[in-house]
């Protein structure tokens, strides 16, 4: 019995040692949560150690404010496909926008597999850049707060991103990504602060999140497939947008996108599909917009295939992007303009298979209107404003 007890104690001790060894506390490595000391290298050191392990590892960020400059986390040579990053503190970008403003990305993950981020706050401190842009001075372009490129099996939960210089989160060239319980916050007049941008990615899910920004709450770029967005509060901002698409002649299409159970409050758009008025072989098909509530939304339902700022670089003003099989189901609420439904489709490639089911939108307690150009489809159930398809 004594030998058995000793064996069990030794086993427990070894397991405890291993568990401790595979948790990398950034403070123990040298990071300081004082909001002033640059802790970038200590976060990168924790990442290097976690990557070198073949067993699941955790990078832990205790309470405190941690200043980070540009931080790139590469997974190409990572031995580990189960790295959890648990954040109880706040990661802060430099307040001077010149420090990372032309870096493209503030916190970037490239080629990683099996990374999870839990909790915490990312403070992009974008106010100095926004002020610079408002003054018409020569300014940095701005950095995206958090981006994942060419990665797979990613999970982000209960993360807050505030005051990003530019886009808050980008998912690019990724597969099997889940974001849930997100809070993404920036003032309604902050320029180009898209909440979540997804492109060239598949099997992405965005759930149970609140997004308030100065641009699109969620924007969806070319090459996106099997995207599921559900239970989102959007506003202020520009709504949820597919596009803009069709800038390039050779561009991958977009398909199998579902957006459901979303409340839009005081947004510029509700659900929008936007394509450049340029030649392109791109396409949009298999899209469902379902169970949406509009509260004073300027353009609740809109397809714009004549997007061309300043009327430049759009020869013939004909979009080559083919839009088909798009369903709008159970959409209610109020429009901030008389035209609540607008389908402005391509003359060259008219929209087809547009379906309106149980749509009821009003304008100042009066009937709203619908406008259609080059759009074909059907309507069923109560549809207000009356369908123009």
């Amino acid at each position: 019995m004594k030998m058995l007890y000793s064996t069990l104690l030794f086993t427990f001790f070894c397991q405890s040692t291993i568990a401790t060894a595979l948790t990398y506390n950034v403070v123990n490595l040298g990071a300081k949560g004082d909001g002033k000391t640059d802790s970038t290298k200590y976060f990168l050191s924790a990442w290097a150690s976690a990557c070198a392990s073949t067993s699941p590892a955790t990078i832990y960020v205790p309470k405190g404010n941690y200043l980070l400059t540009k931080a790139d986390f590469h997974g190409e040579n990572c031995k580990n496909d189960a790295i959890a990053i648990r954040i109880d503190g706040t990661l802060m970008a430099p307040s001077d926008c010149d420090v990372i403003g032309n870096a493209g990305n503030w916190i970037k993950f490239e080629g990683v597999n099996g990374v999870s981020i839990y909790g915490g706050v990312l403070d992009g401190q974008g106010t100095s850049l926004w002020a610079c842009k408002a003054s018409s001075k020569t300014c940095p372009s701005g950095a995206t707060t958090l981006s994942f490129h060419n990665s797979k099996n990613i999970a982000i939960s209960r993360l807050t991103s505030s005051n990003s210089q530019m886009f808050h989160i980008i998912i690019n060239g990724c597969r099997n990504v889940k974001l849930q319980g997100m809070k993404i916050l920036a003032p309604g007049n902050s320029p180009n602060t898209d909440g979540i941008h997804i492109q060239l990615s598949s099997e992405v899910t965005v759930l149970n999140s609140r997004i308030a920004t100065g641009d699109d709450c969620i924007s969806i770029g070319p090459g996106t497939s099997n995207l599921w967005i559900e239970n989102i509060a959007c506003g202020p901002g520009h709504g949820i947008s597919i596009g803009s698409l069709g800038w390039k002649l050779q561009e991958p299409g977009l398909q199998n996108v579902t957006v459901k159970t979303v409340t839009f409050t005081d947004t510029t758009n509700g659900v929008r599909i936007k394509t450049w008025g340029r030649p392109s072989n791109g396409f949009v098909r298999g899209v469902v917009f379902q169970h949406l509530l509009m509260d004073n939304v300027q353009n609740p339902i809109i397809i714009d295939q004549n997007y061309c700022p300043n009327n430049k670089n759009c020869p013939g003003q004909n979009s080559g992007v083919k839009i088909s099989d798009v369903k709008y189901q159970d959409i209610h609420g109020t429009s901030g303009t008389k035209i609540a439904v607008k389908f402005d489709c391509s003359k060259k490639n008219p929209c087809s298979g547009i379906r309106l089911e149980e749509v009821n939108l009003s304008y100042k307690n009066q009937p709203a209107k619908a406008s259609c150009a080059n759009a074909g489809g059907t309507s069923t159930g109560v549809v207000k404003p009356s369908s123009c398809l």
Side-chain angles (χ1 to χ4, degrees), residues 275-278 304-306 316-322 343-351 373-375:
T275 73
W276 281 86
R278 295 167 53 91
D304 177 9
Q305 290 209 262
N306 291 293
Q317 193 72 31
N318 278 319
S319 175
V321 176
K322 176 62 179 175
F343 297 132
D344 186 12
C345 297
S346 170
K347 294 178 182 178
K348 183 177 180 180
N349 289 298
C351 299
N374 311 306

Side-chain angles (χ1 to χ4, degrees), residues 52-376:
S53 170
T54 56
S55 299
T58 297
I59 297 171
Y60 178 61
V61 183
K63 291 182 179 179
N65 297 317
Y66 300 87
L67 178 64
L68 296 185
T69 55
K70 181 174 172 59
D72 289 351
F73 300 93
H74 292 276
E76 294 86 348
N77 299 315
C78 219
K79 298 177 181 178
N80 203 336
D81 59 3
I83 299 177
I85 303 172
R86 297 187 177 273
I87 307 173
D88 284 337
T90 297
L91 310 188
M92 302 174 64
S95 57
D96 181 354
C97 64
D98 287 325
V99 177
I100 63 168
N102 286 319
N105 299 277
W106 172 30
I107 300 170
K108 177 183 177 182
F109 290 84
E110 175 82 39
V112 302
N113 177 22
V115 170
S116 302
I117 300 176
Y118 301 95
V121 177
L122 306 180
D123 184 356
Q125 300 212 81
T127 52
S128 64
L129 178 66
W130 310 335
C132 180
K133 290 182 176 180
S135 68
S136 301
K137 296 178 182 177
T138 300
C139 310
S141 56
T144 292
T145 288
L146 174 66
S147 62
F148 281 84
H149 300 264
N150 306 312
S151 299
K152 60 184 178 180
N153 305 320
I154 307 301
I156 307 174
S157 179
R158 301 190 307 279
L159 176 69
T160 296
S161 175
S162 66
N163 297 329
S164 181
Q165 289 187 1
M166 286 277 285
F167 289 22
H168 285 258
I169 298 172
I170 288 180
I171 305 298
N172 174 54
C174 296
R175 178 169 57 84
N176 190 24
V177 179
K178 185 173 185 178
L179 303 95
Q180 61 179 341
M182 310 291 289
K183 288 185 180 178
I184 299 177
L185 309 171
N189 61 353
S190 56
N192 305 118
T193 53
D194 293 54
I196 301 170
H197 179 71
I198 302 157
Q199 66 179 22
L200 301 171
S201 298
S202 63
E203 313 296 337
V204 178
T205 304
V206 184
L207 302 173
N208 310 326
S209 297
R210 176 175 174 241
I211 306 174
T213 72
D215 211 296
D216 294 333
C217 291
I218 301 175
S219 56
I220 306 162
T224 300
S225 63
N226 301 326
L227 169 63
W228 190 278
I229 297 168
E230 183 174 5
N231 196 22
I232 307 294
C234 170
H238 295 180
I240 294 180
S241 290
I242 292 176
S244 49
L245 306 176
W247 171 253
K248 295 180 179 179
L249 178 62
Q250 301 295 328
E251 183 176 275
L254 180 149
Q255 60 188 335
N256 299 336
V257 172
T258 298
V259 177
K260 66 181 295 185
T261 318
V262 180
T263 298
F264 298 89
T265 305
D266 296 323
T267 52
T268 307
N269 306 291
V271 286
R272 172 174 61 168
I273 300 175
K274 180 175 68 171
T275 73
W276 281 86
R278 295 167 53 91
S280 175
N281 66 348
F283 62 84
V284 175
R285 62 183 178 230
V287 177
V288 176
F289 298 116
Q290 184 181 61
H291 309 321
L292 310 181
L293 178 63
M294 307 288 175
D295 183 1
N296 191 37
V297 174
Q298 298 299 304
N299 302 291
I301 295 174
I302 181 170
I303 294 178
D304 177 9
Q305 290 209 262
N306 291 293
Y307 179 66
C308 189
N310 303 315
N311 292 314
K312 294 182 179 179
N313 302 312
C314 301
Q317 193 72 31
N318 278 319
S319 175
V321 176
K322 176 62 179 175
I323 298 175
S324 62
D325 187 19
V326 181
K327 180 166 71 173
Y328 301 87
Q329 183 182 55
D330 184 29
I331 301 175
H332 298 79
T334 57
S335 174
T337 59
K338 189 75 171 178
I339 307 296
V341 177
K342 184 177 182 179
F343 297 132
D344 186 12
C345 297
S346 170
K347 294 178 182 178
K348 183 177 180 180
N349 289 298
C351 299
S352 63
I354 306 297
R355 287 178 287 168
L356 296 172
E357 301 178 9
E358 300 295 336
V359 174
N360 192 345
L361 297 166
S362 63
Y363 169 66
K364 293 184 177 180
N365 296 318
Q366 298 177 2
K369 291 185 177 181
S371 171
C372 292
N374 311 306

